[in-house]
Amino acid sequence: MEAALGLLRRMPPKQSETALSALLSLIPQHSSDLLSQVDLPLQVLRDIESGKDFILCEYNRDADSYRSPWSNKYLPPLEDALYPSSELRNLEVEANDIFAIYRDQYYEGGISSVYMWEDDNEGFVACFLIKKEDGSKSGHGRRGCLEEGAWDAIHVIQVGPEEEEMAQYCLTSTIMLSLTTDDESSGKFGLSGSIRRQMKMELAVADGHLCNMGRMIEELEGKLRNSLDQVYFGKTREMVCTLRPPAEIVQMRLPDT
Amino acid sequence: MTNVSLEVIDGDNFSLRQTFIIERLEAAMADEEDELPETELSYDQRKEIAKWFLLNAPAGEINYVAKDLKAVLSDEEVYNEAAMEAFPVYNKSHMICLEMPSRAGDVIVSSYSEITENEYLDPRTAQVAIVDHVKQICTKVRPANDEELPSLYIEEYRYALDAEIQRYVSESYPKGMCAVNCVKGKDTEGPGSDFELVVIITAMRLSPQNFCNGSWRSVWNIDFQDESQVLDIKGKLQVGAHYFEEGNVELDAKKDFQDSTIFQSADDCAMAIANIIRHHETEYLASLEVAYSKLPDNTFKDLRRKLPVTRTLFPWQNTLQFSLTREVEKELGLGK
């Protein structure tokens, strides 16, 4: 299983879906582990009843249907499907509303969804998802210039049972980022992949689950954004310059040799 | 092992997600037909999948991929056959450099220098290296025979170009390797026919301890056209980087080039070609720099701001009496 994850970390991020299906067919006995540990770019479905889009993931899936956080119904309709308890559903509704505002503040667009379900330990799990795409195609005469980006954020928080007015929150955040440009001067240029990190905190339940979870997500998302900035634009650029330093540096070196 | 340290999910989260999925699967299996693929994969299918993984390994990482693949397959026979078929393709496409015994230098394994699947010509030393693809080593060398080498006429051009390219590569690439091979018309005795030389430049930087690997590959096809007395030059550059500390990030950049120059003496051609290559590659690097400076300021920023417009963190509030949403909306001044 560890080897499978190792493979996934080395395959080109743009091929992660193919890599995952390949692994699922090679080691079907580990399907459940693989599906739960691997993040693929998020897909979206429209909930016609509420007129809003929602994000698809393993956490709102049952068989081949997905549950909309807006209407709480499965699309396509499914009998005997799994639903969160009504208490959790209320929290889920509020979470979706407030997360949509958070999303708007930081992303100025995009789609968000929150799913919650009870777990075995008398706690619950919440999954906060955001999908944002940006692209600009501008043609200046015959020269096409394309700049595209896609951001998928997956935050899964496991909330432990309340003990002495405190609860354990364990957050695992994954951000998948893809940036591509295709133009005359720099050809095809693509940066894609994902970064994942965890954060655990013990917080007072009195502050409200949504507040606690929200603050953690905001903090970790911010840290990951910085990390992405450093890795995507720092490390890879550094690697290119190491392979072939820009001309100025080369010229400076010549007198020494 | 780098593989182990990367996985951040701890036991709790792991089992949680596992339980969730198992519930789903059990529920699905309870009423309807089984969703899991029951048909077992054939030998050939498993071999093809194994090859796919090997071929898609990033530069310098095929051995790590091989190790994990063997564990997942747990079938030596399938792995070995897949490796025999995949390694040569991978090695040629990444143009790996293998050290020749007796300090003769390195030979670049590529489709341009291939004599047979296990034999590769090093035109600079007029030797043929016999290689073991799966082990990625050169087992021995032998002198090239006359049929494998270009004619004296061609060699004059090849040699001159090789010298210029070597100079360029040693100036511009800290750890670059290059070779010039004749891929067409190598038996041409004199003017009157076309021939084609290929320049390959490759550089790799492997730092697994820093969780980062990268590679640069340039391939320049020079078509010497006798009738028009023109050299038609086509170049393909490919740069890649792979970062895998907290995740999996890949840079994949490529560009095609086209240029031409006049057919002159061997030395003059060599200088002209090297200058053209130097010019395009330097310019490409500069435009990569531009791309690197544009992306964070444009597309990346447009995806997610560092902070909301309010320049403060999101006002999550403690409220048990009022609806959290209404409070927040009030604070942000959003009407409803």
Side-chain angles (χ1 to χ4, degrees):
Chain A
M1 181 59 198
E2 227 171 70
L5 293 177
L7 282 178
L8 286 166
R9 260 188 299 269
R10 297 192 189 266
M11 290 298 107
K14 289 215 138 84
Q15 312 252 40
S16 38
E17 205 167 332
T18 314
L20 179 60
S21 341
L23 283 173
L24 285 174
S25 53
L26 280 180
I27 44 172
Q29 66 275 26
H30 290 288
S31 315
S32 51
D33 296 347
L34 281 172
L35 285 171
S36 64
Q37 290 222 35
V38 177
D39 297 301
L40 293 179
L42 300 172
Q43 297 194 297
V44 166
L45 205 57
R46 168 140 293 216
D47 179 356
I48 305 190
E49 189 180 309
S50 55
K52 289 202 258 190
D53 289 330
F54 65 101
I55 301 179
L56 310 183
C57 68
E58 284 302 298
Y59 305 105
N60 65 330
R61 180 181 79 89
D62 193 349
D64 287 326
S65 297
Y66 292 88
R67 182 172 66 88
S68 156
W70 315 117
S71 62
N72 202 27
K73 293 200 184 141
Y74 275 86
L75 299 168
L78 189 67
E79 282 184 13
D80 297 331
L82 292 161
Y83 291 89
S85 68
S86 57
E87 193 188 322
L88 204 53
R89 170 68 188 152
N90 287 337
L91 190 60
E92 190 185 78
V93 168
E94 206 167 345
N96 272 288
D97 287 342
I98 195 161
F99 201 55
I101 304 176
Y102 166 88
R103 186 217 355 104
D104 215 49
Q105 290 283 298
Y106 274 101
Y107 294 81
E108 297 175 327
I111 301 171
S112 61
S113 298
V114 183
Y115 304 106
M116 298 189 183
W117 67 94
E118 283 93 352
D119 73 3
D120 291 338
N121 307 327
E122 293 173 18
F124 67 95
V125 182
C127 174
F128 293 72
L129 307 157
I130 292 183
K131 184 171 186 76
K132 172 94 193 282
E133 275 165 354
D134 192 63
S136 56
K137 276 188 187 150
S138 56
H140 299 290
R142 263 192 257 142
R143 293 162 61 121
C145 170
L146 170 69
E147 258 186 48
E148 269 184 351
W151 172 297
D152 294 81
I154 301 174
H155 304 281
V156 181
I157 307 192
Q158 185 181 3
V159 183
E162 184 176 333
E163 272 176 45
E164 291 169 13
E165 296 173 9
M166 301 289 277
Q168 270 270 357
Y169 297 85
C170 181
L171 167 65
T172 303
S173 294
T174 307
I175 302 207
M176 292 182 283
L177 176 63
S178 161
L179 296 162
T180 45
T181 63
D182 192 345
D183 65 40
E184 268 213 38
S185 60
S186 58
K188 292 205 177 93
F189 177 94
L191 281 166
S192 59
S194 64
I195 292 197
R196 177 185 280 182
R197 216 181 278 183
Q198 260 193 337
M199 177 196 246
K200 280 192 195 167
M201 289 184 94
E202 201 170 333
L203 301 166
V205 174
D207 287 340
H209 283 310
L210 279 186
C211 268
N212 290 339
M213 294 193 289
R215 287 205 190 99
M216 285 178 75
I217 289 178
E218 185 172 24
E219 189 179 329
L220 199 47
E221 228 182 41
K223 285 189 177 153
L224 283 177
R225 187 194 185 278
N226 289 341
S227 223
L228 286 167
D229 201 335
Q230 276 169 16
V231 171
Y232 276 59
F233 308 115
K235 301 235 163 165
T236 61
R237 175 201 220 153
E238 197 183 307
M239 175 56 76
V240 175
C241 290
T242 308
L243 289 168
R244 192 187 189 294
E248 308 88 58
I249 299 180
V250 171
Q251 270 153 28
M252 277 172 2
R253 221 191 285 147
L254 277 178
D256 294 330
T257 51
Chain B
M1 279 257 87
T2 55
N3 286 343
V4 175
S5 63
L6 294 177
E7 192 46 36
V8 181
I9 288 195
D10 71 356
D12 289 346
N13 240 357
F14 176 97
S15 62
L16 141 85
R17 291 164 99 165
Q18 186 175 356
T19 319
F20 179 85
I21 299 301
I22 289 179
E23 271 171 31
R24 290 280 180 278
L25 288 175
E26 280 172 353
M29 291 195 289
D31 20 25
E32 288 173 280
E33 300 233 1
D34 204 338
E35 270 186 50
L36 294 175
E38 279 299 348
T39 49
E40 214 176 277
L41 288 178
S42 72
Y43 181 92
D44 278 338
Q45 284 173 318
R46 288 179 31 241
K47 192 182 76 171
E48 287 307 305
I49 293 180
K51 274 165 66 178
W52 184 88
F53 277 107
L54 290 171
L55 291 172
N56 279 289
E61 295 184 30
I62 193 169
N63 289 308
Y64 295 98
V65 169
K67 181 163 177 277
D68 286 336
L69 183 61
K70 276 190 235 183
V72 168
L73 277 176
S74 29
D75 182 342
E76 285 239 18
E77 215 185 314
V78 169
Y79 170 76
N80 286 333
E81 210 175 304
M84 294 283 297
E85 291 175 30
F87 267 83
V89 179
Y90 175 89
N91 290 340
K92 282 187 286 189
S93 126
H94 283 273
M95 306 195 298
I96 64 167
C97 302
L98 299 179
E99 204 179 308
M100 294 190 286
S102 68
R103 293 197 228 140
D106 282 33
V107 62
I108 302 188
V109 170
S110 74
S111 51
Y112 310 105
S113 58
E114 187 174 5
I115 309 252
T116 67
E117 191 175 272
N118 296 318
E119 293 180 308
Y120 294 86
L121 171 69
D122 176 34
R124 200 172 293 146
T125 58
Q127 290 183 104
V128 172
I130 290 105
V131 313
D132 178 329
H133 279 290
V134 178
K135 291 206 184 105
Q136 293 185 315
I137 52 168
C138 166
T139 50
K140 64 181 200 277
V141 282
R142 65 164 171 80
N145 54 42
D146 287 338
E147 297 91 64
E148 291 162 340
L149 292 171
S151 68
L152 284 172
Y153 173 68
I154 299 291
E155 178 61 15
E156 204 188 324
Y157 281 87
R158 195 210 66 78
Y159 181 85
L161 184 54
D162 192 33
E164 281 300 319
I165 297 291
Q166 275 189 290
R167 185 178 318 160
Y168 161 63
V169 169
S170 63
E171 272 172 11
S172 305
Y173 295 82
K175 287 205 173 150
M177 306 288 276
C178 59
V180 178
N181 285 287
C182 178
V183 296
K184 216 174 68 168
K186 73 172 181 41
D187 297 321
T188 311
E189 298 289 341
S193 310
D194 298 344
F195 59 95
E196 195 176 324
L197 296 181
V198 173
V199 175
I200 40 184
I201 301 176
T202 157
M204 257 206 266
R205 173 65 168 217
L206 304 176
S207 299
Q209 68 277 18
N210 292 327
F211 304 103
C212 199
N213 296 318
S215 78
W216 173 296
R217 284 173 272 173
S218 336
V219 176
W220 292 88
N221 278 67
I222 329 257
D223 195 2
F224 289 71
Q225 290 165 355
D226 183 78
E227 200 178 315
S228 49
Q229 285 291 295
V230 151
L231 265 54
D232 188 46
I233 302 176
K234 287 198 175 60
K236 269 187 158 60
L237 249 65
Q238 196 166 4
V239 192
H242 180 224
Y243 173 82
F244 46 99
E245 182 161 12
E246 285 180 296
N248 177 10
V249 176
E250 179 199 57
L251 161 70
D252 183 20
K254 39 174 93 129
K255 182 148 186 227
D256 290 341
F257 299 87
Q258 178 104 28
D259 210 324
S260 60
T261 183
I262 49 173
F263 203 144
Q264 302 166 86
S265 73
D267 289 335
D268 290 337
C269 275
M271 293 260 305
I273 296 170
N275 281 337
I276 288 176
I277 291 180
R278 177 186 286 116
H279 165 76
H280 283 293
E281 292 191 347
T282 312
E283 220 181 54
Y284 177 63
L285 197 64
S287 64
L288 277 186
E289 281 286 304
V290 170
Y292 265 114
S293 54
K294 270 195 329 190
L295 276 174
D297 292 336
N298 298 345
T299 318
F300 185 59
K301 232 193 233 164
D302 287 344
L303 283 174
R304 185 190 187 275
R305 305 175 58 97
K306 228 172 175 173
L307 274 180
V309 177
T310 55
R311 304 239 194 125
T312 56
L313 292 176
F314 192 73
W316 306 99
Q317 280 179 43
N318 167 31
T319 166
L320 293 173
Q321 286 184 303
F322 299 95
S323 155
L324 187 59
T325 316
R326 260 183 278 135
E327 281 295 303
V328 168
E329 280 173 353
K330 248 198 292 177
E331 173 134 352
L332 292 172
L334 303 168
K336 219 182 193 174

